[in-house]
Amino acid sequence: MDLAEHEQPIETIDFEILPASEWIDEDEDHEPKMLCGQLWLEGEMSVLFGEVSCGKSLLAVQIGESIASGKAIKPFEMTAEAQKVLLLDLGGSKAQFARRYTSEADGDNPARKYGFSPNLTRVSLKNSVQIAPAKLAPIIEKSGAKVLIIDNLAFLQKYSLPRETVVVMRELRRLQKRYGLSILVLMNTTRAIYRRGIIAADIPCASVVTSFVDNVFAVGRSGSQSGVRYLKHIKSGTDDTVYGAAHLPFFSVMRIGGNFPSFQHTGYGSESSIRANDDDHFEWQRIRNIQRLVEEKKTIREIAADLGMSPSTGHRLLSMAGDAPPLPSPAAFVGEKIQQFYNREKCIVEQCPNCHTCQGRAARDFSGVPGTIFKGHDNCPDDCDMCGPRRYQSDDTTADPILKTLSENHYAALRHWLLHGKRGQKPAYPMARRYGHERACRKPGSENWTDEQLTVYNRWIRSHPKIGPEPDFNPRAGP
């Protein structure tokens, strides 16, 4: 493909320049009609992508037949009238298409072919495996169709390179504007990733494709049932996608009448429950929050303003509240959160009293306070702000009741702070004091010594052999 031949001279480019208010006034009475719900609107170019053999071609034919016959695919709404549809099945042969939409003969029952709407026209490549997008113009003019489905983009380009993809997508945009088309383009994903859900980056040359199209949606597989598929809305031409990871329509792929394989809507579910093990708790938490505010007699407009969303998004999320999974039990919630903590943080969350990791002092914070801990500081009193309070056993009767109460309160505050995402300032241990002094090798209580006392102690600690007993200027074991 000669890329230069697709470049449009600057002199031929026209601009439409209007004040912003006039753009709104001109468009206020024009509501785009839906071809396949919010996934594909009239006058838009959308992309449908998915893994190999996940049912993209089946769905494309089903969408084309739906538009041609004027019958919507559940659960998607269709407000457009029945019209001509041009299906470019560039990868399939005549025999494959006929076999797919013909029932098998069964005893005395002969094979039956599916009766497609006369508005649906199928086009395939006869003696080629690749066609330039510019060559589609005569076919579009001859068919008179305003709806174009391309299966798939790989047959419009020689190589899957960003530069060539830009040229192809730009040419499709030009055809769309020239003939007033609604275009649906099918694409394959680069790879299948089961550790997470589907994202836009799975499309080859994703940054190029998503910048040219209005809507992007994907077909995904079920992780446990081979005949189950789901649709996920990745990009929308409006302010929000219709079907996010927390609320996806899923379908059973079955042959209706024995001769029309299609997607039949079964229900709704989260992507994590259908395919992956993603965390969609945030989305359901937002839905439950909206439902709670509605029960408090707030209007959707007020809720949308408080939560920073559009009223239409608020209405959509509220309609999903009935499908919300049950709230996890406190034990399950804590069990899930513990997985993200390690070392002493895990000891705090699990309420560990003593182990080889924390040694009873899980709240130690060497980095949160000035100075460094070395040997000899482990035996400081229990209200040390560097070593943290000791974690007492519940049946410990020898502990100071005041220190024990302070310790329990501090560990409870730390646990709440950790489980809620470390929001806000880290709780401080009340009445904690600094024991030890750097210049006196962190001798407990040495921060209150005078310079003369520190000099005497430093001279003794550095002498070898030690002469006399260890100097101790503390009136007690602490300041």
Side-chain angles (χ1 to χ4, degrees):
M1 179 185 295
D2 186 3
L3 302 181
E5 67 181 12
H6 295 284
E7 298 296 335
Q8 187 176 5
I10 296 177
E11 291 79 6
T12 65
I13 299 176
D14 294 328
F15 295 95
E16 188 174 1
I17 305 174
L18 291 173
S21 59
E22 293 187 23
W23 287 102
I24 299 174
D25 293 338
E26 286 193 358
D27 198 55
E28 63 182 359
D29 297 327
H30 178 66
E31 183 70 24
K33 296 181 179 180
M34 290 181 281
L35 299 172
C36 186
Q38 294 291 338
L39 302 179
W40 189 19
L41 305 178
E42 274 191 342
E44 289 188 347
M45 183 160 65
S46 297
V47 162
L48 167 62
F49 73 96
E51 304 167 22
V52 176
S53 300
C54 69
K56 299 185 300 297
S57 297
L58 289 181
L59 182 59
V61 173
Q62 186 179 2
I63 293 174
E65 173 65 8
S66 168
I67 298 170
S69 62
K71 298 177 181 178
I73 302 173
K74 293 182 179 179
F76 309 118
E77 186 180 356
M78 185 172 65
T79 57
E81 298 179 354
Q83 56 187 297
K84 291 183 179 181
V85 178
L86 184 62
L87 172 63
L88 298 182
D89 189 358
L90 304 179
S93 66
K94 178 180 179 180
Q96 290 173 337
F97 188 81
R99 186 167 56 250
R100 177 175 290 175
Y101 294 99
T102 303
S103 64
E104 297 180 0
D106 183 14
D108 297 333
N109 298 322
R112 291 177 295 106
K113 299 179 181 179
Y114 179 77
F116 282 96
S117 168
N119 283 333
L120 179 62
T121 302
R122 179 180 177 272
V123 179
S124 64
L125 292 175
K126 193 172 182 179
N127 298 314
S128 177
V129 293
Q130 190 262 338
I131 182 174
K135 301 293 182 63
L136 299 178
I139 304 174
I140 296 171
E141 291 180 354
K142 184 177 179 179
S143 67
K146 296 297 182 181
V147 177
L148 176 64
I149 300 176
I150 302 175
D151 185 8
N152 67 50
L153 188 71
F155 294 92
L156 299 180
Q157 53 189 113
K158 291 183 179 179
Y159 309 103
S160 182
L161 299 174
R163 176 175 172 80
E164 189 174 358
T165 303
V166 167
V167 173
V168 172
M169 299 303 295
R170 186 183 296 158
E171 182 63 23
L172 290 178
R173 270 293 191 187
R174 188 185 67 81
L175 292 174
Q176 179 197 11
K177 293 181 178 295
R178 178 179 177 183
Y179 297 106
L181 299 176
S182 305
I183 301 178
L184 177 64
V185 182
L186 274 62
M187 297 184 65
N188 292 330
T189 57
T190 54
R191 60 196 181 281
I193 300 180
Y194 292 96
R195 298 188 303 274
R196 58 155 171 78
I198 303 173
I199 59 175
D202 294 332
I203 308 174
C205 306
S207 61
V208 173
V209 173
T210 55
S211 64
F212 275 95
V213 300
D214 302 295
N215 275 286
V216 178
F217 59 105
V219 179
R221 298 177 183 271
S222 168
S224 57
Q225 303 179 58
S226 59
V228 173
R229 302 289 187 269
Y230 67 89
L231 294 182
K232 183 176 182 180
H233 202 183
I234 306 295
K235 177 190 175 182
S236 172
T238 58
D239 59 343
D240 200 4
T241 55
V242 180
Y243 301 108
H247 189 255
L248 301 173
F250 61 89
F251 307 79
S252 296
V253 180
M254 57 181 66
R255 300 180 71 89
I256 303 301
N259 56 11
F260 189 68
S262 58
F263 283 43
Q264 298 300 312
H265 183 235
T266 305
Y268 294 93
S270 65
E271 193 170 15
S272 61
S273 63
I274 301 172
R275 172 181 179 171
N277 188 26
D278 290 350
D279 185 7
D280 53 24
H281 294 303
F282 172 77
E283 186 75 1
W284 287 118
Q285 183 180 3
R286 187 166 66 147
I287 294 170
R288 292 190 185 96
N289 191 27
I290 293 174
Q291 187 179 29
R292 177 182 57 82
L293 294 174
V294 169
E295 292 173 353
E296 294 176 359
K297 307 302 181 182
K298 279 196 171 185
T299 65
I300 289 294
R301 189 169 296 277
E302 293 172 342
I303 295 172
D306 292 342
L307 301 182
M309 63 178 67
S310 64
S312 60
T313 301
H315 278 291
R316 179 176 61 81
L317 294 177
L318 181 61
S319 66
M320 296 161 49
D323 299 322
L327 286 169
S329 64
F333 175 76
V334 173
E336 180 182 354
K337 290 294 185 181
I338 285 177
Q339 298 177 6
Q340 53 184 298
F341 298 118
Y342 301 94
N343 300 328
R344 287 187 299 274
E345 286 186 352
K346 188 174 182 179
C347 289
I348 294 173
V349 175
E350 291 184 332
Q351 303 180 6
C352 167
N354 193 352
C355 68
H356 69 280
T357 299
C358 66
Q359 297 177 354
R361 304 190 98 155
R364 283 185 174 181
D365 189 5
F366 301 157
S367 60
V369 293
T372 308
I373 301 295
F374 289 110
K375 280 188 175 181
H377 203 265
D378 293 340
N379 297 323
C380 65
D382 294 345
D383 56 346
C384 175
D385 65 345
M386 295 180 76
C387 290
R390 191 173 302 280
R391 193 65 181 268
Y392 299 98
Q393 298 283 354
S394 57
D395 57 350
D396 191 349
T397 58
T398 62
D400 185 335
I402 297 179
L403 289 180
K404 186 176 181 181
T405 301
L406 291 174
S407 173
E408 291 174 352
N409 293 340
H410 181 58
Y411 276 101
L414 279 176
R415 187 170 185 268
H416 182 272
W417 178 72
L418 290 171
L419 287 176
H420 287 77
K422 299 183 180 180
R423 291 197 295 265
Q425 190 173 2
K426 183 179 180 180
Y429 182 49
M431 300 176 62
R433 291 177 285 180
R434 170 63 54 84
Y435 291 93
H437 193 280
E438 186 175 359
R439 286 193 294 166
C441 300
R442 296 161 187 82
K443 170 78 173 173
S446 60
E447 69 274 14
N448 292 332
W449 293 356
T450 63
D451 290 341
E452 292 78 7
Q453 291 171 333
L454 289 172
T455 301
V456 171
Y457 187 86
N458 284 329
R459 187 183 298 118
W460 178 87
I461 200 68
R462 290 176 172 80
S463 63
H464 183 77
K466 298 291 188 294
I467 301 174
E470 177 184 6
D472 188 358
F473 303 105
N474 296 329
R476 57 184 180 86

